[in-house]
Amino acid sequence: MQNAQTVIVADIGASNARFGLVDDIHAPDFLIHHIQKYRRTDYDSFADVLAQYYTDLPVKLRKQRYPLSIAVAGARINSQYWQFASEQWAFTADDQIISTISDLEGFALGAVSDKTHITLREDTAAADESFKSTIIAVGTGLGLSYYKDGQTFRTHGGHMHGTGITDEQNMIIRLIYRLSSKKRMVIFEDLASGTGLMRLYQAVCIYNGLPVLCTTPEEVIELAAPHVLEQTLRLFHEFLGLFAHMALVFGHGYKALYLGGGVIDVLNERGLFDQECFFKHLNQNAQRVVAQNIENCPVYLLSDSNMALYGAAKAAQRLTERG
């Protein structure tokens, strides 16, 4: 039996940085304690927020530096260096960092191991062994990854061309394009994410000849006029369903569909997740074999906002087992 090894796990997303402490990374059913969340914009660097986490730990746990396992959003510059697109928030190699994976990989590893998910639809047929699991993370951005036989597969799926199937959806897409300063194609991340929720709200206001009063997704949910919020959320769930449909079909990912992320957490907690609308656009009137596979695919809602922390712990566990 290996000696207990304490590891700090971190999930560095586009908006927030989460940290936690695993008492024994070798334990099959490890637990993560002392979880803290920080706004990335409050800190200049990874080192600064890590120092804050150490300060926030109980005094008896601050006596030593612990190994780090990190799930991180951003672009890999090389094997030891990551850089964030928005604030150029970067960190370089450190002896304490034993594992670095993408936040999507962390989310996927955590998702397929999660025991607390909410079942939206049970599986109704034996899954084909060739099927992958599909994991969609709806946070500030929109992430898509697949999982099969212990391996995660990253994608740029959230950056696929956003498309609609109704006149209203296509009009909203055209309005979002007109509102964008980048003048690039509208992608699904513009339609089904935290950023997308804001853009949908702006487009819905213009579509109805109303002023745009809210400036953040939180304000949209809290303060938008009821009929504006209703249309915004309906369109959000329609586009999320369309995206999930494409993700299942393109990736042969019918084994299971996992939905989670900060936006899903908020909608679910407030009773605003529209299952009927989502499933209508997920299922659609597809070709028979596709329709059967989608309808037989179990769908799970991930209710733990610390999913990528568990993925970072899983990555560290694998590494220490190999070592």
Side-chain angles (χ1 to χ4, degrees):
M1 177 182 289
Q2 293 175 293
N3 294 328
Q5 182 181 16
T6 301
V7 173
I8 288 177
V9 290
D11 167 24
I12 314 299
S15 301
N16 299 305
R18 287 182 170 88
F19 288 81
L21 200 67
V22 180
D23 289 335
D24 183 7
I25 199 66
H26 305 301
D29 297 318
F30 59 79
L31 296 175
I32 302 178
H33 306 278
H34 306 296
I35 294 174
Q36 298 283 352
K37 182 173 78 170
Y38 307 95
R39 292 289 298 176
R40 272 192 41 205
T41 51
D42 293 339
Y43 300 88
D44 293 329
S45 70
F46 175 77
D48 291 339
V49 71
L50 177 61
Q52 182 62 55
Y53 180 67
Y54 270 105
T55 300
D56 292 338
L57 284 173
V59 174
K60 65 180 181 180
L61 296 176
R62 301 180 202 162
K63 297 177 182 178
Q64 67 180 88
R65 295 184 72 211
Y66 300 104
L68 286 159
S69 180
I70 304 170
V72 57
R76 185 188 291 273
I77 306 302
N78 56 48
S79 61
Q80 295 180 316
Y81 188 86
W82 288 69
Q83 188 167 35
F84 300 91
S86 54
E87 298 125 275
Q88 306 303 306
W89 209 60
F91 62 85
T92 54
D94 185 317
D95 290 341
Q96 295 300 117
I97 299 175
I98 60 172
S99 173
T100 306
I101 59 176
S102 76
D103 60 335
L104 267 182
E105 184 177 1
F107 190 87
L109 286 173
V112 297
S113 306
D114 180 56
K115 302 294 191 297
T116 64
H117 55 245
I118 299 166
T119 301
L120 298 185
R121 184 169 69 191
E122 297 278 5
D123 54 332
T124 57
D128 187 312
E129 289 300 315
S130 68
F131 291 167
K132 303 181 187 75
S133 293
T134 301
I135 302 97
I136 295 176
V138 188
T140 303
L142 179 63
L144 169 65
S145 56
Y146 298 98
Y147 178 90
K148 188 176 188 297
D149 297 333
Q151 184 176 358
T152 57
F153 303 87
R154 296 169 58 198
T155 79
H156 287 155
H159 294 265
M160 289 191 297
H161 185 204
T163 57
I165 58 174
T166 68
D167 290 341
E168 179 196 30
Q169 290 167 1
N170 288 318
M171 176 59 75
I172 291 295
I173 289 172
R174 287 195 290 272
L175 287 171
I176 288 175
Y177 176 78
R178 284 170 51 191
L179 289 167
S180 173
S181 60
K182 298 179 181 178
K183 296 306 176 189
R184 55 153 171 76
M185 70 178 186
V186 175
I187 59 178
F188 269 106
E189 190 170 86
D190 297 323
L191 307 169
S193 67
T195 302
L197 190 66
M198 191 67 223
R199 289 176 175 158
L200 285 174
Y201 161 75
Q202 293 169 338
V204 165
C205 287
I206 293 171
Y207 182 83
N208 290 287
L210 299 171
V212 177
L213 301 176
C214 300
T215 58
T216 66
E218 292 79 11
E219 286 185 2
V220 172
I221 292 175
E222 293 283 351
L223 304 173
H227 65 289
V228 172
L229 179 61
E230 184 279 329
Q231 187 177 4
T232 301
L233 289 178
R234 174 174 54 77
L235 285 162
F236 173 89
H237 287 90
E238 289 175 2
F239 285 122
L240 181 61
L242 289 172
F243 175 71
H245 175 95
M246 293 181 186
L248 292 179
V249 175
F250 291 166
H252 213 55
Y254 305 115
K255 182 175 182 180
L257 171 61
Y258 296 88
L259 283 173
V263 174
I264 298 296
D265 291 342
V266 171
L267 294 177
N268 185 48
E269 288 168 3
R270 293 171 178 257
L272 295 174
F273 187 82
D274 191 339
Q275 292 190 41
E276 182 179 353
C277 184
F278 170 76
F279 276 113
K280 177 181 177 181
H281 286 74
L282 171 68
N283 294 336
Q284 298 185 54
N285 186 22
Q287 194 268 353
R288 184 178 178 185
V289 65
V290 171
Q292 287 178 337
N293 284 333
I294 291 177
E295 289 167 9
N296 290 335
C297 177
V299 180
Y300 304 117
L301 204 64
L302 300 168
S303 57
D304 190 336
S305 59
N306 300 305
M307 199 59 61
L309 287 181
Y310 286 91
K314 281 287 183 184
Q317 190 178 63
R318 289 179 178 180
L319 194 66
T320 55
E321 286 171 354
R322 289 199 299 265

